[in-house]
Amino acid sequence: MQQLGMGQAVNQALREEMRRNSEVFIAGEGVGVGIHVNPMFPTTGLLEEFGSKRVRDTPVSEAAIAGLAVGAAEAGLRPVVEIMFNPFITLASDMIVNHAAKLRYLSGGKSSFPLVIRVKTGAGFGAGCQHSHNLEAWLAHCPGLKVVMPATPADAKGLLKSAIRDDNPVIFIEDMMLYFAPGPVPEEEYLTPIGKADVKRPGGDVSLVTWGNMLGVAFKAAERLAQEGVEVEVVDLRSLVPLDTETILESVRKTGRLVVLHEATRTGGFAGEVSAVVMEHAFGELKAPLRRVTGPDIPVPASPTLERFYIPDEEQVVTAVREIL
Amino acid sequence: MQQLGMGQAVNQALREEMRRNSEVFIAGEGVGVGIHVNPMFPTTGLLEEFGSKRVRDTPVSEAAIAGLAVGAAEAGLRPVVEIMFNPFITLASDMIVNHAAKLRYLSGGKSSFPLVIRVKTGAGFGAGCQHSHNLEAWLAHCPGLKVVMPATPADAKGLLKSAIRDDNPVIFIEDMMLYFAPGPVPEEEYLTPIGKADVKRPGGDVSLVTWGNMLGVAFKAAERLAQEGVEVEVVDLRSLVPLDTETILESVRKTGRLVVLHEATRTGGFAGEVSAVVMEHAFGELKAPLRRVTGPDIPVPASPTLERFYIPDEEQVVTAVREIL
Amino acid sequence: MQIPVEKKREMLWTMILSRAFSDTLSELCKTQGRVPGMMILSTGQEAVGSGVCAALLPEDVIVTNHRSHSHLLAKGADPRALMAEIYCKSTGCNKGKSGTLHLAVPEVNAPCTSTVVGAGLPLAVGQAFAQQYREERRVTVCFFGDGAADEGSFHEALNLASLWRLPVIFVCENNLYAGAQRYEEHTRTRHVADRAEGYAIPGEVVDGNDVLAVYASLTKSRQRALAGEGPTLLECKTYRCHGHSESDPQHYQPEEEIRSWRGKCPIPRLSDNLLAEGRITRDEIREMQAKAEAMVRDAVSFAEASPYPLAEEALEDVWAD
Amino acid sequence: MQIPVEKKREMLWTMILSRAFSDTLSELCKTQGRVPGMMILSTGQEAVGSGVCAALLPEDVIVTNHRSHSHLLAKGADPRALMAEIYCKSTGCNKGKSGTLHLAVPEVNAPCTSTVVGAGLPLAVGQAFAQQYREERRVTVCFFGDGAADEGSFHEALNLASLWRLPVIFVCENNLYAGAQRYEEHTRTRHVADRAEGYAIPGEVVDGNDVLAVYASLTKSRQRALAGEGPTLLECKTYRCHGHSESDPQHYQPEEEIRSWRGKCPIPRLSDNLLAEGRITRDEIREMQAKAEAMVRDAVSFAEASPYPLAEEALEDVWAD
Ligand SMILES: Cc1ncc(C[n+]2csc(CCOP(=O)(O)OP(=O)(O)O)c2C)c(N)n1
Ligand SMILES: Cc1ncc(C[n+]2csc(CCOP(=O)(O)OP(=O)(O)O)c2C)c(N)n1
Ligand SMILES: [Mg+2]
Ligand SMILES: [Mg+2]
């Protein structure tokens, strides 16, 4: 099987969908000509293949980029626009939250808004808190938006293809750190369903629910714990909205123990939603308290020592698991 | 004791703090001359008392309004600015999230940002989802911001005064529906601490945690249940950040049962945080599953029948409580 | 510019219809609770929507804002469906989800209405982009207020539309107020149209109470757009004769100012012109008025007789499947 | 305008220091991993920061952006504290919290630095508002790029500053590129300064590689600001001689263009002028250069010898108590 980084997987998904449907176009800052010439990046080479009609470099105008997507989607195109880094989504958030998410409802179901907003996220590249700020919990708290956050190149490809074909607005969050971590991606065409979590590692002792870049941390922790005879079930949500509560509950009913792991800051993070769902529907099967392993409630600091402190690591996960065994 | 609506209580707080400290000023759309001449509204009469130097009507420019506050606060003033309705906070969110919340951290603690952003929220006035959208969970997921959401006029006054004197950025969320529900407000000067929840009604059978406008619904439900002999303890959070976990846990340890009630939509709402905190720290004392009573995962519809359906009511709370008794 | 008499009569009709519509709503608002929500009308500003829409073809798109009724009626929206939506009934064009503030009528190519001030402009850019992408002979018009011209979205939208030469016409309805703020209190820019130069696009000021002037300007800018020459910023100077909403006592609008602008009402202005040219008779005008009133009465009856949506319908229409 | 020779020498010094600083960083970046994060330099653009800051008093405020080093050095920031922060060390001016991208130096009245493009402008409005509110004789300067002029925040900030006649000068450093986009690819506006008219404020284009011209323009607009006449939009035309960041191969910048702009370097331009006027000797210039290099070497040694912050320090400085 081909080994691709997540950026390359995204690139393949864009390429395939753009070949398949001429109503798909991409737009954003540097999606055509960018400052990097790097085959690991998601939009490399698309301008060359599809031309400047369909690959649109925009000014630094996030509200206009998102508005372009919303208006063009209503008119029947399938925009895939990029917001360069997660914190800049604030600048587009009126268009996303008050328009992409709501205009269909406001139309009484007459219009639809088949658009994808790709956004890069994640700490780890030393740029500090105005570039690194995980905000998936915000977007998940906005009815009308689907929210997808893949953890592997294969899922990224399959989910992005589904997102582009979805008739609803989809926020597609790519952790930059995963661009440089190759993984297997099937060669043949496939779609990964939005709204289906994936048990990435089965285990009977504790359920470790996570998504995005933290999957790697989850694996490392699971391996260490396996050496102690503790079998961790790693559930990769992949989509936050719709949330696959069935898969979460099934796992927790089996293990009776739950740890939720995310890179975003703790208070108000999406771990809260996961724990509420479990506490509502599987309370009787729970054998131990919840543990959350998350970023601390601080902005992401720039300095390497501080940034490492910010990012949850397997040590913290191992400790959390041990605490509730 | 004087009986005031929440708008009037806010007005008194602004008046007292502006008299006390000449570095306090207010700015926003229509905070001086507005389209309503209504003594129940928060900024009525302030222009007359303090003049146009300190009561600044702004253009319709939410990013500039928030930026004004951030810049002026760094320079040592104490801005209290208004974002007219909660959904428009999206337009100011870069300034709030990436600047008000982060610039102190980025300065290594050298600068501080003593500002208050007042924002009106709440469903119930038939304006639909671009005016009514409760977003407190977003702001609570942003380290560096304090988030306050009072439920009574007395708390509103005391909390706003504290917010204005706080050296950190505070988001102060006012539910419009409460402007027209008078309640007692002490005449003498007082401050209500930010970060302290308030047990608004003691009870031993079930903990009902809520905030803002839903306190009224909580009371109604508690009264009905009291007639059945069920004693509900109503915990009004008042502040989401800092969160008074002690008071929540104390209540749940006593009752063993938790219902969380908020008007915001369910998925990703702040009830998740409350339930995670309880599940982490009071799991052993819990006797029953969690119940959340919240707005459904839809935008707030305009039509009265639909809007009523959206807003959680005491019936739903009573049902939730009965389910876990 | 030579404007066909049929066009002129069409504009007179849509203005009369809009006025009957808003006068009726204004009247209905005097009975508390009869119509839910805020009531925002364009009494006195009808020439903008009528002149613009008369210059458009049905396939052209409009994007409008909180003050939308006259735009939508001029674009051909069904008064019954509008009125029922304003009443928040299930027969409304948006099944009661929208109410008066964000009426969306895709049937007449008015699909994107936002009550977030300034938000229409980026949406219109998206619509116009789709038209250009598909090489259609259609344009998009975006209606917005003078207050909206201070929002960041205005700036980003105009720059992008100019850069890509999109077929969009930005129609600023400068009614001298944004909420309670007079124009001079929210900007020092003499004319909103003065901002056009900053985007290297044509900016034009037109008498917004002269429907023929509006029609002529729009026709010209539409041709530019179709010729691939890009957007135009058209500022229509008009006046908000009512308060911001019907519950606004207009305490900050000088009475003399209101009176003087009422004297510049666009409807008699056009009808006098047509009468003078012998293109219409007084009886015909009276007939139009009677017909408009009847249509609006019918719309109100329809709306009042219609049921509210069932509570559970609130859960519908969030997702496309 | 008569510029005192001491001012000219000061500007030469700050340009030379900035250049030594950025040349050293550029060199250091060739060793992977030595300096963390993205490295964004203003090589070739030094005249803007130097000319502007020479025209300011210490109590004046600057608000800068991602390309801040030369602004901050010209405003008097300590090279050691800056370098240590760029190295993300605990001795840095922001204790390693900020790194190179949002250096905040309140000690020299450069307290608000944002790497969110365009965000500086509303922040500067707030700073200038405080100055006006307190009736201080100080102004605020906001540095931003040509790309930033396309953000909505630019628009809202200029309108508000104009309306309130705030003592703020918006300095657009037009270096012909925003990321990989040439100026003409992100706007059709001939000059960013053309946008000033849309806010009824003065807009001026100045040769941004001529430090004396920058100084003169800024002095004038500062006087206007202090006289209560409000903001100015000053566009300094310059060129980004390096890539957007040091890891950018500049593949989209024509070599000939880079070469020609390198020929317009502001440093020899001023030193030649001073030499011609007999206001400086070649030896003095060499001394300045040597001193700048020594200072930067010292700053690097200081930074390299400094410890990284302790992990738990990450939890500090979020809240003021
Ligand atoms: C982003 C945003 N801010 C504030 C409001 C509240 N608001 C509604 S209409 C209005 C005034 C708009 O003035 P203008 O654009 O001139 O339109 P007009 O009402 O005069 O037609 C305001 C401030 C809003 N709807 N959206
Ligand atoms: C809001 C926002 N969008 C995008 C970026 C990514 N970005 C960083 S610098 C830059 C280009 C800015 O160009 P310009 O304003 O001309 O400044 P220059 O880099 O040329 O000095 C971009 C797009 C950002 N930092 N902030
Ligand atoms: Mg107006
Ligand atoms: Mg630039």
Side-chain angles (χ1 to χ4, degrees):
Chain A
M1 214 184 288
Q2 55 180 344
Q3 294 283 320
L4 302 178
M6 188 182 280
Q8 293 172 298
V10 165
N11 190 285
Q12 275 196 357
L14 291 170
R15 235 178 250 277
E16 289 179 15
E17 294 305 302
M18 289 180 81
R19 285 180 190 157
R20 183 175 173 270
N21 183 346
S22 65
E23 308 213 304
V24 179
F25 72 94
I26 70 170
E29 297 159 17
V31 296
V33 181
I35 58 174
H36 301 291
V37 192
N38 189 330
M40 304 304 278
F41 278 26
T43 56
T44 303
L46 297 179
L47 177 63
E48 289 68 19
E49 176 165 350
F50 299 101
S52 61
K53 180 186 167 187
R54 297 181 67 194
V55 178
R56 312 289 298 211
D57 277 322
T58 66
V60 195
S61 304
E62 284 75 10
I65 292 169
L68 168 74
V70 178
E74 198 288 332
L77 300 185
R78 293 192 167 265
V80 183
V81 300
E82 177 178 313
I83 299 293
M84 205 181 266
F85 295 109
N86 215 331
F88 312 153
I89 215 168
T90 53
L91 293 160
S93 60
D94 167 55
M95 280 297 141
I96 297 173
V97 170
N98 292 320
H99 296 90
K102 295 174 181 170
L103 286 181
R104 174 180 169 77
Y105 193 71
L106 284 170
S107 78
K110 284 178 175 172
S111 295
S112 58
F113 295 85
L115 61 95
V116 178
I117 298 188
R118 292 181 41 246
V119 56
K120 284 179 255 174
T121 199
F125 58 110
C129 64
Q130 290 185 335
H131 280 72
S132 293
H133 192 171
N134 289 302
L135 291 168
E136 68 269 20
W138 278 26
L139 298 154
H141 186 45
C142 185
L145 300 179
K146 295 189 177 179
V147 181
V148 172
M149 198 162 166
T152 68
D155 283 347
K157 180 173 176 186
L159 285 163
L160 182 54
K161 286 169 64 84
S162 294
I164 294 171
R165 298 189 197 183
D166 200 294
D167 282 336
N168 296 287
V170 181
I171 312 294
F172 190 87
I173 307 175
E174 301 163 18
D175 195 301
M176 290 254 289
M177 292 301 109
L178 297 171
Y179 287 177
F180 307 100
V185 175
E187 320 264 346
E188 64 284 4
E189 158 112 47
Y190 67 98
L191 296 173
T192 307
I194 295 176
K196 272 300 297 162
D198 189 34
V199 177
K200 284 276 177 1
R201 177 190 172 117
D205 296 326
V206 58
S207 300
L208 176 56
V209 173
T210 194
W211 54 92
N213 189 25
M214 287 295 108
L215 181 65
V217 174
F219 276 146
K220 282 192 209 149
E223 273 154 38
R224 273 188 39 194
L225 286 158
Q227 290 165 8
E228 308 174 8
V230 177
E231 285 308 325
V232 175
E233 177 146 302
V234 178
V235 180
D236 173 9
L237 289 185
R238 302 198 293 197
S239 316
L240 305 192
V241 181
L243 181 63
D244 183 357
T245 53
E246 262 332 294
T247 300
I248 298 171
L249 292 173
E250 210 174 284
S251 176
V252 174
R253 288 195 177 115
K254 181 172 69 178
T255 63
R257 294 184 160 83
L258 174 64
V259 174
V260 189
L261 165 66
H262 60 62
E263 188 183 291
T265 53
R266 169 166 304 218
T267 300
F270 201 73
E273 181 62 29
V274 175
S275 63
V277 164
V278 168
M279 207 170 150
E280 285 170 328
H281 300 293
F283 176 76
E285 282 103 330
L286 276 177
K287 301 178 203 147
L290 163 79
R291 283 293 173 268
R292 288 185 283 178
V293 180
T294 69
D297 280 331
I298 59 172
V300 175
S303 186
T305 49
L306 305 178
E307 194 182 34
R308 264 196 305 277
F309 175 82
Y310 174 87
I311 302 173
D313 63 19
E314 68 260 33
E315 193 57 42
Q316 290 165 272
V317 178
V318 168
T319 306
V321 169
R322 284 195 192 127
E323 279 173 12
I324 59 167
L325 277 178
Chain B
M1 215 184 284
Q2 55 179 346
Q3 294 282 321
L4 302 178
M6 188 182 281
Q8 294 172 296
V10 165
N11 190 284
Q12 275 195 357
L14 291 170
R15 238 179 248 276
E16 291 179 12
E17 294 304 303
M18 288 179 82
R19 285 179 191 157
R20 182 174 175 271
N21 184 345
S22 65
E23 307 214 305
V24 179
F25 72 94
I26 69 170
E29 297 159 17
V31 296
V33 181
I35 58 174
H36 302 292
V37 192
N38 190 330
M40 304 303 279
F41 278 27
T43 57
T44 303
L46 297 179
L47 177 63
E48 289 69 17
E49 177 167 349
F50 299 101
S52 61
K53 179 185 167 188
R54 298 181 65 196
V55 178
R56 313 288 299 210
D57 277 321
T58 65
V60 196
S61 303
E62 285 74 12
I65 293 169
L68 169 73
V70 178
E74 198 286 331
L77 300 186
R78 294 193 167 263
V80 183
V81 300
E82 177 178 314
I83 298 294
M84 204 183 267
F85 295 109
N86 215 331
F88 311 154
I89 216 168
T90 52
L91 293 160
S93 61
D94 168 55
M95 281 296 140
I96 297 173
V97 171
N98 292 320
H99 297 89
K102 294 174 183 171
L103 285 181
R104 174 180 169 77
Y105 193 71
L106 285 170
S107 77
K110 284 179 176 172
S111 296
S112 58
F113 295 85
L115 61 95
V116 179
I117 297 188
R118 292 181 40 246
V119 56
K120 283 180 257 173
T121 199
F125 58 110
C129 62
Q130 289 185 336
H131 280 72
S132 294
H133 191 172
N134 289 302
L135 292 169
E136 67 271 18
W138 276 27
L139 297 154
H141 186 44
C142 185
L145 300 179
K146 295 190 176 178
V147 182
V148 172
M149 199 163 166
T152 69
D155 283 348
K157 181 173 174 187
L159 286 163
L160 182 53
K161 286 169 65 82
S162 295
I164 294 172
R165 298 189 197 181
D166 200 296
D167 282 336
N168 296 286
V170 181
I171 311 294
F172 190 87
I173 308 175
E174 302 163 18
D175 195 301
M176 290 253 290
M177 292 301 108
L178 297 171
Y179 287 177
F180 308 100
V185 175
E187 319 265 348
E188 65 285 2
E189 158 112 47
Y190 66 99
L191 296 172
T192 307
I194 296 177
K196 271 302 294 163
D198 189 34
V199 177
K200 284 276 180 354
R201 178 189 171 118
D205 297 325
V206 57
S207 300
L208 177 54
V209 173
T210 193
W211 54 92
N213 189 28
M214 287 295 108
L215 180 65
V217 174
F219 276 146
K220 282 191 208 150
E223 273 154 39
R224 272 186 43 196
L225 287 159
Q227 289 163 11
E228 306 175 9
V230 176
E231 286 308 326
V232 175
E233 176 146 302
V234 178
V235 179
D236 174 8
L237 289 186
R238 302 198 294 196
S239 315
L240 305 192
V241 180
L243 181 62
D244 182 358
T245 53
E246 262 330 295
T247 300
I248 299 171
L249 293 173
E250 210 173 286
S251 178
V252 174
R253 289 195 176 117
K254 180 171 68 176
T255 63
R257 294 186 159 83
L258 174 65
V259 175
V260 190
L261 165 65
H262 61 61
E263 188 183 292
T265 53
R266 169 166 304 218
T267 300
F270 200 73
E273 181 63 28
V274 175
S275 63
V277 164
V278 168
M279 208 170 149
E280 284 169 330
H281 301 292
F283 176 75
E285 282 102 331
L286 276 176
K287 301 177 200 145
L290 163 80
R291 283 293 174 268
R292 286 185 285 178
V293 181
T294 70
D297 280 331
I298 59 172
V300 175
S303 187
T305 48
L306 305 178
E307 195 182 34
R308 264 195 305 277
F309 175 84
Y310 173 87
I311 302 172
D313 62 18
E314 68 261 33
E315 192 57 43
Q316 289 165 271
V317 178
V318 168
T319 307
V321 169
R322 285 199 191 121
E323 279 174 13
I324 60 168
L325 278 178
Chain C
M1 179 180 193
Q2 192 58 23
I3 304 177
V5 67
E6 273 321 305
K7 269 291 162 205
K8 293 186 184 175
R9 292 175 64 118
E10 177 192 324
M11 291 188 256
L12 183 62
W13 163 245
T14 56
M15 287 198 291
I16 286 174
L17 176 64
S18 286
R19 179 66 59 88
F21 199 86
S22 56
D23 279 352
T24 301
L25 279 169
S26 181
E27 207 45 47
L28 287 164
C29 282
K30 291 183 180 144
T31 315
Q32 173 105 48
R34 190 150 174 198
V35 196
M38 305 182 208
M39 187 51 59
I40 294 182
L41 303 175
S42 10
T43 318
Q45 304 180 205
E46 295 86 352
V48 179
S50 291
V52 164
C53 292
L56 297 179
L57 292 182
E59 60 266 34
D60 292 328
V61 170
I62 66 169
V63 172
T64 160
N65 64 359
H66 56 285
R67 206 173 293 285
S68 68
H69 303 173
S70 65
H71 309 146
L72 295 170
L73 287 167
K75 192 71 171 65
D78 172 13
R80 282 184 153 205
L82 286 190
M83 190 62 85
E85 186 62 33
I86 293 166
Y87 267 86
C88 291
K89 296 299 183 72
S90 68
T91 53
C93 53
N94 310 124
K95 306 186 198 160
K97 301 264 163 47
S98 157
T100 184
L101 286 178
H102 352 62
L103 295 158
V105 195
E107 308 87 279
V108 299
N109 286 310
C112 287
T113 301
S114 175
T115 185
V116 179
V117 166
L121 290 94
L123 300 174
V125 163
Q127 290 276 343
F129 175 80
Q131 294 166 335
Q132 185 190 66
Y133 188 90
R134 290 179 160 154
E135 299 171 28
E136 295 167 340
R137 286 194 59 76
R138 304 160 76 182
V139 304
T140 298
V141 165
C142 181
F143 293 101
F144 61 100
D146 50 301
D150 298 338
E151 286 278 7
S153 51
F154 167 93
H155 180 69
E156 296 189 13
L158 265 72
N159 185 57
L160 188 57
S162 158
L163 184 68
W164 291 353
R165 294 211 196 283
L166 297 179
V168 54
I169 301 142
F170 298 105
V171 176
C172 180
E173 202 160 355
N174 186 344
N175 59 6
L176 212 55
Y177 287 90
Q181 266 190 320
R182 274 183 77 84
Y183 180 73
E184 307 82 43
E185 291 164 353
H186 70 76
T187 187
R188 285 189 193 273
T189 311
R190 182 113 183 276
H191 304 293
V192 171
D194 290 350
R195 297 201 171 142
E197 200 193 315
Y199 312 101
I201 63 172
E204 207 180 323
V205 175
V206 65
D207 178 347
N209 281 24
D210 179 352
V211 71
L212 302 180
V214 173
Y215 175 89
S217 287
L218 206 284
T219 303
K220 216 173 51 187
S221 39
R222 184 172 182 278
Q223 277 156 2
R224 287 191 67 250
L226 289 176
E229 290 165 34
T232 302
L233 173 58
L234 189 63
E235 177 182 7
C236 303
K237 302 277 193 188
T238 181
Y239 189 74
R240 203 189 68 199
C241 290
H242 284 209
H244 172 70
S245 71
E246 291 304 292
S247 65
D248 168 2
Q250 293 185 282
H251 54 104
Y252 50 86
Q253 282 175 270
E255 269 178 45
E256 179 42 40
E257 183 183 90
I258 301 178
R259 199 168 324 115
S260 113
W261 275 93
R262 281 195 185 272
K264 301 185 207 159
C265 180
I267 300 178
R269 190 150 160 194
L270 175 59
S271 51
D272 288 354
N273 170 307
L274 285 170
L275 284 167
E277 287 181 354
R279 301 305 201 162
I280 206 164
T281 65
R282 290 201 183 276
D283 274 352
E284 284 176 307
I285 296 173
R286 266 191 291 270
E287 252 168 57
M288 274 191 186
Q289 249 142 5
K291 185 176 155 203
E293 278 156 30
M295 276 178 83
V296 173
R297 257 197 316 277
D298 164 72
V300 169
S301 309
F302 174 76
E304 298 203 334
S306 295
Y308 282 108
L310 298 177
E312 295 72 25
E313 287 175 32
L315 299 173
E316 296 168 8
D317 300 325
V318 181
W319 302 106
D321 17 52
Chain D
M1 176 178 193
Q2 192 58 20
I3 303 177
V5 67
E6 273 320 304
K7 270 289 163 205
K8 292 187 184 173
R9 292 175 65 119
E10 176 192 325
M11 292 188 257
L12 184 61
W13 163 245
T14 56
M15 288 198 292
I16 286 174
L17 176 63
S18 285
R19 179 66 58 87
F21 199 87
S22 57
D23 279 353
T24 300
L25 279 168
S26 182
E27 206 45 47
L28 287 164
C29 282
K30 290 182 180 144
T31 315
Q32 174 106 46
R34 189 149 174 199
V35 196
M38 305 183 209
M39 187 51 58
I40 295 183
L41 304 176
S42 8
T43 319
Q45 304 180 204
E46 294 87 352
V48 180
S50 291
V52 165
C53 292
L56 297 179
L57 291 182
E59 59 267 33
D60 291 327
V61 170
I62 66 169
V63 172
T64 161
N65 65 358
H66 56 284
R67 206 174 295 284
S68 67
H69 303 174
S70 64
H71 309 147
L72 295 170
L73 288 168
K75 193 71 172 63
D78 171 13
R80 280 183 156 208
L82 286 190
M83 190 62 85
E85 186 61 35
I86 293 167
Y87 267 85
C88 291
K89 296 297 182 75
S90 68
T91 52
C93 53
N94 310 124
K95 307 185 197 160
K97 300 265 165 43
S98 157
T100 184
L101 285 177
H102 351 62
L103 295 160
V105 195
E107 307 87 278
V108 298
N109 286 310
C112 287
T113 301
S114 175
T115 185
V116 178
V117 167
L121 290 95
L123 300 175
V125 163
Q127 290 277 342
F129 175 80
Q131 294 166 335
Q132 186 190 66
Y133 188 89
R134 292 181 158 154
E135 300 172 26
E136 296 168 339
R137 286 194 60 75
R138 303 160 76 181
V139 305
T140 300
V141 164
C142 181
F143 292 101
F144 61 101
D146 50 301
D150 298 339
E151 286 278 7
S153 51
F154 166 93
H155 179 67
E156 296 190 12
L158 266 70
N159 186 56
L160 189 57
S162 158
L163 184 68
W164 291 354
R165 296 212 195 283
L166 297 179
V168 54
I169 301 142
F170 298 105
V171 176
C172 179
E173 201 159 355
N174 186 342
N175 60 6
L176 213 56
Y177 286 90
Q181 265 190 320
R182 271 184 79 85
Y183 180 73
E184 307 82 45
E185 290 165 353
H186 69 76
T187 187
R188 285 190 192 272
T189 311
R190 182 113 182 275
H191 304 292
V192 171
D194 289 350
R195 295 200 173 143
E197 200 193 315
Y199 312 102
I201 63 172
E204 206 180 324
V205 175
V206 64
D207 177 346
N209 280 24
D210 178 353
V211 71
L212 302 180
V214 173
Y215 175 88
S217 287
L218 206 282
T219 302
K220 216 173 51 187
S221 39
R222 184 172 182 278
Q223 278 156 1
R224 287 192 67 250
L226 289 177
E229 290 166 34
T232 302
L233 174 58
L234 189 64
E235 177 182 6
C236 302
K237 302 277 193 188
T238 181
Y239 189 73
R240 204 189 68 202
C241 290
H242 284 210
H244 172 70
S245 71
E246 291 305 293
S247 65
D248 167 2
Q250 294 184 281
H251 54 105
Y252 50 87
Q253 282 175 268
E255 270 179 47
E256 178 43 38
E257 183 182 89
I258 302 178
R259 199 169 323 117
S260 111
W261 275 93
R262 281 192 186 271
K264 301 184 207 161
C265 180
I267 300 178
R269 191 149 158 193
L270 176 59
S271 51
D272 289 354
N273 171 307
L274 285 170
L275 284 168
E277 287 181 354
R279 302 303 201 163
I280 206 163
T281 65
R282 288 200 186 277
D283 275 350
E284 284 176 307
I285 297 174
R286 266 190 291 269
E287 253 168 57
M288 276 192 187
Q289 248 142 5
K291 185 175 155 205
E293 278 156 29
M295 275 179 84
V296 173
R297 255 196 318 275
D298 165 70
V300 168
S301 309
F302 174 75
E304 298 203 335
S306 295
Y308 282 108
L310 298 177
E312 294 72 25
E313 287 175 33
L315 299 174
E316 296 168 8
D317 300 324
V318 180
W319 302 106
D321 18 52

